[in-house]
Amino acid sequence: MSTLRLGDTAPDFTQDSTAGMIRFHEWAGDSWVVLFSHPADFTPVCTTELGKTAALATEFAKRGVKPIAVSVDPVDSHHAWVKDINETQNTTVNFPILADADKKVATLYDMIHPNSLVNATVRSVFIIDPKKVIRTTLTYPASTGRNFDEILRVIDSLQLTDSHKVATPANWKQGDDVVIVPSIQDPKELAERFPKGFQAVRPYLRMTPQPNR
Ligand code: BEZ
């Protein structure tokens, strides 16, 4: 195990799950993936997080993203917990939960931070692109449930900035103005790429309407 960094290839693994045995890279196929860990089954914050992820299924699908959860409990426990999640969160969990009782995935992805939480995973998030490259990592403590709208917002930014020479400013969300990357300086290229124009607040801070809107 070594620390995984942005730009690294997401390690492949084979592990059991609520959807059967998963060979990770094969399962991911050409999709984006959100791989996210939870401290344990039948815990309150985790229950709300999995419920929220299930409720956002259409939003993940719209973006070509497959969510997959990790919890270091056996698959029978996961199945019983899913029943609870569905009942209490009024949803249907429709993505796999890895049964990582042997901590294979947790170790591979460095999800156990023993000085924070002994022997269980913290709330790690890995956003992985279709080439299996790790594009974002987030780490939250056990006491803080994640904001899944933020995870979708990061995916929106990654997908937009992969296809246009822009970056997204603080608190950006779909439809807001974006910034032009500093490497684009040629006036002809600027006019071609940004036909709606741009505002140079400073030479290095140029705002333009979201190009694909
Ligand atoms: C929870 O998911 O609610 C939780 C798990 C471990 C520690 C604290 C809270």
Side-chain angles (χ1 to χ4, degrees):
M1 180 274 298
S2 68
T3 305
L4 292 170
R5 295 179 173 165
L6 303 192
D8 290 352
T9 299
D12 199 11
F13 56 80
T14 302
Q15 184 59 290
D16 199 9
S17 83
T18 50
M21 200 56 78
I22 285 193
R23 286 146 59 124
F24 183 55
H25 281 194
E26 186 182 295
W27 173 85
D30 293 332
S31 297
W32 288 72
V33 170
V34 173
L35 173 71
F36 60 120
S37 59
H38 299 86
D41 292 2
F42 298 104
T43 50
V45 176
C46 301
T47 300
T48 63
E49 288 193 318
L50 292 199
K52 182 57 80 180
T53 306
L56 289 171
T58 313
E59 294 302 318
F60 283 111
K62 243 176 21 193
R63 294 161 173 84
V65 181
K66 290 180 170 178
I68 182 166
V70 184
S71 189
V72 292
D73 286 307
V75 77
D76 288 351
S77 162
H78 287 358
H79 282 303
W81 183 35
V82 164
K83 195 166 165 292
D84 266 11
I85 298 167
N86 289 342
E87 278 175 25
T88 61
Q89 308 303 302
N90 194 26
T91 189
T92 303
V93 172
N94 43 12
F95 53 86
I97 307 173
L98 291 163
D100 201 38
D102 62 2
K103 302 190 173 71
K104 188 202 286 182
V105 178
T107 305
L108 202 54
Y109 280 79
D110 196 19
M111 291 165 163
I112 297 175
H113 300 196
N115 292 330
S116 173
L117 194 61
V118 177
N119 233 9
T121 49
V122 291
R123 300 186 195 283
S124 300
V125 182
F126 292 84
I127 301 176
I128 299 163
D129 75 14
K131 292 188 175 140
K132 315 289 180 287
V133 174
I134 296 173
R135 302 294 300 277
T136 303
T137 61
L138 297 165
T139 309
Y140 283 65
S143 53
T144 307
R146 286 158 284 198
N147 183 333
F148 288 80
D149 293 329
E150 167 62 3
I151 293 171
L152 289 169
R153 191 191 75 89
V154 174
I155 292 164
D156 285 343
S157 171
L158 288 168
Q159 293 183 343
L160 173 68
T161 59
D162 275 359
S163 55
H164 294 84
K165 298 271 186 196
V166 297
T168 58
N171 287 16
W172 173 86
K173 57 185 183 338
Q174 283 283 12
D176 289 351
D177 287 356
V178 297
V179 301
I180 298 174
V181 294
S183 60
I184 310 289
Q185 292 294 335
D186 175 37
K188 189 164 168 280
E189 185 178 1
L190 281 165
E192 276 166 13
R193 289 190 183 277
F194 305 106
K196 295 174 196 157
F198 62 89
Q199 188 201 357
V201 182
R202 287 287 184 276
Y204 60 86
L205 175 55
R206 299 165 301 174
M207 305 298 300
T208 190
Q210 185 173 328
N212 61 351
R213 281 267 167 146

